[in-house]
Amino acid sequence: MRSKLFAVMLGGAATVAAAPSVNAYPIDCAILLCLAGGFPASAECSAAKAEFIRRITPWPIEPPLQLWNCPMRSSGGISVPGIGADGLTDDVRRYRDGIEIYHVQMYYHKRGGDNEYITDSTVVGEYQANGDFRWVGASYQHGPAWLAEASGGTTYTRTIGGCDDDRPWRVGRTCPPSQTVTTNDHMGRLRGVFIRYQDHSGAYHVEGVRY
């Protein structure tokens, strides 16, 4: 199963028979293989998942999948069909780019009377076209709904805009177009790293480390 997955991801069907076991690869090759399978129960994939989680556990926080440590070339330096200029196949690139990782450095929501105080210091990790990984500014409050669910928060949906106030209607009055917005919230303090990825079947998996 894992040997076939590796062959398909490399793009070389002819390598199926010769593909070795997961534990013969560097750890990042094992993480890739096991991630594609949803980290199935096995000693190799348990070790790969442990490393995957360790990397997103402060401190430091590292890229969860480091494909620069997993050369996508066959032995002898011969190129495997389907590998792009970045050294990856389309399937491998899809697994890598499908990883969503948010570092909520601090989210704090406090209500006091009629006042509300929100601090939102969140970054999202992303892989560049050349394979590099970087953190860029993001928002917990305006992030994806899965982020709130993973962190124990809540998601609110409301409609804003339109003529939804109490002012009387008059000829010539215009209203801004209404739109539905979704926001995340978490009362109190929140700090953590949360990650979502897809396996080969399209199923999503979510992990989180709070600190």
Side-chain angles (χ1 to χ4, degrees):
M1 163 67 175
R2 291 191 293 273
S3 295
K4 290 182 179 179
L5 265 175
F6 185 70
V8 169
M9 288 190 292
L10 283 181
T15 64
V16 173
S21 63
V22 167
N23 58 2
Y25 303 126
I27 188 64
D28 281 279
C29 298
I31 290 174
L32 173 63
L33 286 171
C34 296
L35 180 149
F39 287 104
S42 72
E44 299 91 345
C45 286
S46 293
K49 186 173 184 180
E51 175 63 14
F52 187 72
I53 299 300
R54 183 201 67 77
R55 290 177 177 178
I56 67 169
T57 302
W59 294 97
I61 300 172
E62 305 174 36
L65 181 61
Q66 302 172 13
L67 289 176
W68 48 87
N69 294 323
C70 179
M72 295 286 136
R73 304 285 179 183
S74 62
S75 61
I78 301 173
S79 297
V80 175
I83 290 184
D86 59 357
L88 305 178
T89 66
D90 289 343
D91 282 335
V92 170
R93 201 176 297 108
R94 176 171 58 84
Y95 286 118
R96 181 200 66 186
D97 295 345
I99 294 174
E100 304 169 73
I101 177 169
Y102 284 81
H103 180 194
V104 184
Q105 298 167 321
M106 174 62 73
Y107 184 83
Y108 180 53
H109 187 177
K110 178 182 178 181
R111 290 193 178 101
D114 295 331
N115 299 316
E116 287 189 292
Y117 307 91
I118 295 179
T119 298
D120 189 350
S121 179
T122 301
V123 292
V124 61
E126 58 182 32
Y127 289 94
Q128 306 298 292
N130 65 357
D132 290 345
F133 181 88
R134 68 172 185 172
W135 295 99
V136 297
S139 169
Y140 175 85
Q141 190 175 25
H142 301 292
W146 71 262
L147 180 58
E149 182 177 359
S151 61
T154 53
T155 300
Y156 298 96
T157 300
R158 68 185 191 278
T159 301
I160 61 175
C163 292
D164 55 358
D165 54 33
D166 296 327
R167 290 180 296 169
W169 176 260
R170 68 175 184 274
V171 176
R173 180 186 176 189
T174 60
C175 301
S178 61
Q179 58 178 324
T180 300
V181 297
T182 299
T183 56
N184 297 329
D185 195 17
H186 189 287
M187 295 305 298
R189 299 180 185 271
L190 171 65
R191 300 179 73 185
V193 182
F194 304 93
I195 189 169
R196 185 172 80 155
Y197 61 91
Q198 272 186 293
D199 64 24
H200 68 95
S201 71
Y204 285 101
H205 304 263
V206 176
E207 305 285 347
V209 178
R210 298 184 61 168
Y211 66 95

